[in-house]
Amino acid sequence: MTYRPSHPDGSFGEYVFTCDKSRLDLDYLYTMLCVPSKYSTGLPPERFPLVIENSICFMVFHEGKQIGFSRVISDRSEFASLWDVFIDEPHRGKGIGQALLKYIFEHPNLRGTFRWFLMTEDAHGLYQKFDFKTEVYNPYIMMKVNAG
């Protein structure tokens, strides 16, 4: 096995990106992702920490407060699945989501991953900027294949 360095924090204007799970606000995330809403199936609170533990997590902070998140499930070589990408409403439309995706794709454990997968209802334009293509058989599914 080879050692892979951790991903350093990143920034975008006043916003800080990190993979440091010790900074993650679990209650905030559970409320945003799991309390029944259009984005959630109502995951029980006792199962949520396992979701976080078994994912590569990316957090966005503004003035010390978490305002965004995403996570990746991957074998770190051939396949990665992008989940739960969000930026709090007051911070949207400022390019933070695009900067977050760039930070994710630069992660040393994910860089060069052959195939990426995600599901979205309404953010196709954002993901197309990163070469994701909508699958013909299901318009909610997008994939990206890295050549070479």
Side-chain angles (χ1 to χ4, degrees), residues 35-142:
V35 172
S37 71
K38 85 173 206 173
Y39 300 110
S40 151
T41 58
L43 180 71
E46 62 274 9
R47 288 180 40 202
F48 187 61
L50 287 173
V51 169
I52 298 303
E53 182 180 326
N54 293 304
S55 300
I56 303 170
C57 296
F58 300 88
M59 289 71 66
V60 182
F61 290 86
H62 182 254
E63 298 177 351
K65 180 177 183 256
Q66 188 170 350
I67 59 93
F69 179 78
S70 183
R71 66 189 180 94
V72 174
I73 301 166
S74 178
D75 64 10
R76 300 177 183 200
S77 172
E78 299 303 308
F79 182 80
S81 183
L82 185 63
W83 291 92
D84 302 326
V85 179
F86 77 87
I87 302 296
D88 275 347
E89 192 76 40
H91 300 275
R92 292 183 189 164
K94 299 177 181 179
I96 302 160
Q98 192 169 336
L100 173 60
L101 289 175
K102 184 175 185 237
Y103 179 72
I104 291 168
F105 296 135
E106 290 173 351
H107 190 287
N109 292 351
L110 299 172
R111 195 178 307 125
T113 300
F114 179 66
R115 181 172 290 128
W116 284 81
F117 162 89
L118 64 86
M119 294 177 67
T120 185
E121 288 184 17
D122 54 11
H124 295 82
L126 171 63
Y127 299 116
Q128 287 168 347
K129 292 176 184 175
F130 292 91
D131 299 322
F132 279 85
K133 308 278 187 255
T134 302
E135 289 295 306
V136 175
Y137 63 90
N138 185 333
Y140 294 119
I141 296 175
M142 298 187 80

